[in-house]
Amino acid sequence: METLKMSGKERHRLELMGRIKRKEITLVKAADLMEIGYRQAKRIWKCGCLELADGELGKPCNMNSMKETLIKTHRKFDPTFKLQAVQHWLASGKSAEIIAQELGILAKRLYDWRKCFA
């Protein structure tokens, strides 16, 4: 059997998540007991950070995948990339949505960058 190293805080949160799963307490009550906001408790519960098996407390999820998700959603672009993206968009005659999809960004970013470089 594998031994997991968890802080007291993590064990407490894990135990509360197990109680939520067994419907012993509500998410609102658990958030209060963890001394965090309801929305944060909801994020913890929803993302499955604490995978709970039936009858077991469970184990922490893969934190690397969570970090990768955060990195993908909070990317930074250098000014050269921004300028080239806007120039490509304007020269191509395609819509911002199509260019944004090709570049893997939001169309709103292209509009914002065009304001900066216009």
Side-chain angles (χ1 to χ4, degrees), residues 2-7 10-11 14 48-52 57-64 66:
E2 182 181 345
T3 302
L4 297 174
K5 294 183 179 182
M6 299 175 74
S7 68
E10 289 173 320
R11 285 193 305 272
L14 187 60
C49 292
L50 303 172
E51 298 171 355
L52 301 172
L57 281 180
K59 62 181 182 178
C61 70
N62 183 357
M63 294 304 288
N64 289 332
M66 289 177 56

Side-chain angles (χ1 to χ4, degrees), residues 7-83:
S7 68
K9 185 177 179 181
E10 289 173 320
R11 285 193 305 272
H12 178 66
R13 286 185 176 185
L14 187 60
E15 190 252 321
L16 290 173
M17 291 296 144
R19 289 177 64 191
I20 293 170
K21 184 175 183 180
R22 293 186 301 271
K23 299 187 188 304
E24 294 173 6
I25 62 172
T26 64
L27 194 54
V28 173
K29 180 67 176 170
D32 187 46
L33 292 171
M34 288 187 283
E35 298 178 351
I36 60 175
Y38 169 74
R39 291 181 66 183
Q40 181 66 24
K42 190 174 179 180
R43 279 192 288 271
I44 292 170
W45 179 253
K46 185 177 179 183
C47 79
C49 292
L50 303 172
E51 298 171 355
L52 301 172
D54 290 328
E56 299 177 8
L57 281 180
K59 62 181 182 178
C61 70
N62 183 357
M63 294 304 288
N64 289 332
S65 66
M66 289 177 56
K67 288 178 184 174
E68 289 172 11
T69 303
L70 289 173
I71 289 170
K72 286 179 186 174
T73 58
H74 292 91
R75 294 182 295 171
K76 295 192 179 206
F77 301 97
D78 65 359
T80 307
F81 175 80
K82 294 176 184 180
L83 179 61

Side-chain angles (χ1 to χ4, degrees), residues 86 89 95-97 105-117:
V86 171
W89 169 38
S95 70
E97 288 74 20
I105 60 173
L106 298 173
K108 181 184 179 315
R109 286 189 190 255
L110 284 174
Y111 289 112
D112 293 341
W113 295 346
R114 181 179 65 179
K115 290 177 190 173
C116 294
F117 294 112

